[in-house]
C-alpha cells in the first residue's frame, strides 16, 4: 500500500490537557480534519502536563486522517513559569523582571534539548540564556 499523501500541516500551541475547540476550529476547520478526535487525542496525551503550553504539529492526510507530533513548551513559557512571572520586560534593555540561576537555566535547557538546534547541553544553555536576556531576565553566572 502506498504511503498516504499529506495535504496539510498545522502547528498549534495549545493548553495541555484542555485544548480549546475555538483554537482548533480556526486552524483545522479548512483542513477537513476531525477536530473532536484531534482534541481528545491531544488532551489525553498532554493531561499529565496540565497548565503548560504544549505545541503540536497536526498532519492531515488526503483521507482526512491525522497524526500528532508533540514538541516541548516554548522556552519563554518555561522561563516565565520558572520565575513565576506573567510576561517578560517591555523594554529588556532598561528593565529587569527577574533573575534565573544557573541550575534553572540548565533544567530548562535539558528539557528543550530535543527541540533546539543544539548539539550538546552547553549550546542549549547558551540558547536558553539568550532567550532569557531578550525577555529582560538576568542570567546568574
Amino acid at each position: 500500500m502506498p504511503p498516504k499523501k499529506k495535504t496539510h500541516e498545522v502547528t498549534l500551541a495549545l493548553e495541555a490537557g484542555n485544548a480549546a475547540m475555538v483554537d482548533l476550529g480556526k486552524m483545522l476547520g479548512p483542513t477537513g480534519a476531525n477536530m473532536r478526535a484531534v482534541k481528545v487525542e491531544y488532551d489525553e496525551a498532554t493531561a499529565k502536563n496540565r497548565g503548560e503550553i504544549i505545541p503540536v504539529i497536526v498532519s492531515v492526510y488526503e483521507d482526512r486522517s491525522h497524526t500528532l507530533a508533540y514538541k516541548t513548551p516554548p522556552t519563554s513559557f518555561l522561563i516565565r513559569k520558572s520565575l513565576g512571572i506573567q510576561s517578560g520586560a517591555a523594554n529588556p534593555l532598561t528593565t529587569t523582571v527577574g533573575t534565573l540561576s544557573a541550575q534553572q537555566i540548565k533544567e530548562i535547557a535539558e528539557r528543550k534539548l530535543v527541540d533546539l538546534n543544539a548539539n550538546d547541553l552547553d549550546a542549549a544553555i547558551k540558547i536558553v540564556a539568550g532567550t532569557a536576556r531578550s525577555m529582560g531576565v538576568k542570567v546568574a553566572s
Side-chain angles (χ1 to χ4, degrees):
M1 185 168 155
K4 295 188 234 179
K5 184 177 178 213
K6 189 186 302 184
T7 58
H8 295 88
E9 187 171 271
V10 180
T11 303
L12 305 168
L14 303 168
E15 184 182 340
N18 189 21
M21 283 300 283
V22 173
D23 295 336
L24 287 170
K26 286 179 194 172
M27 298 301 286
L28 295 179
T31 66
N34 182 344
M35 289 179 280
R36 181 77 185 137
V38 171
K39 178 183 171 34
V40 169
E41 190 176 332
Y42 178 84
D43 287 348
E44 286 175 1
T46 60
K48 66 183 183 301
N49 295 331
R50 279 191 186 277
E52 293 187 355
I53 303 297
I54 306 282
V56 62
I57 299 172
V58 182
S59 300
V60 182
Y61 301 96
E62 58 191 355
D63 64 353
R64 293 190 178 180
S65 62
H66 66 273
T67 56
L68 303 180
Y70 302 95
K71 299 287 197 176
T72 55
T75 307
S76 59
F77 172 82
L78 294 173
I79 291 169
R80 289 192 324 262
K81 182 180 172 192
S82 185
L83 291 174
I85 58 176
Q86 290 295 316
S87 65
N91 185 349
L93 295 175
T94 60
T95 311
T96 302
V97 293
T99 304
L100 274 179
S101 69
Q103 181 61 33
Q104 288 172 311
I105 291 174
K106 184 178 180 200
E107 288 169 6
I108 294 170
E110 287 171 347
R111 183 158 180 198
K112 289 291 296 179
L113 188 59
V114 294
D115 284 341
L116 290 176
N117 187 13
N119 295 328
D120 58 11
L121 187 59
D122 290 336
I125 289 171
K126 289 179 183 176
I127 293 171
V128 171
T131 302
R133 281 191 293 273
S134 73
M135 293 172 62
V137 174
K138 269 194 174 159
V139 176
S141 359

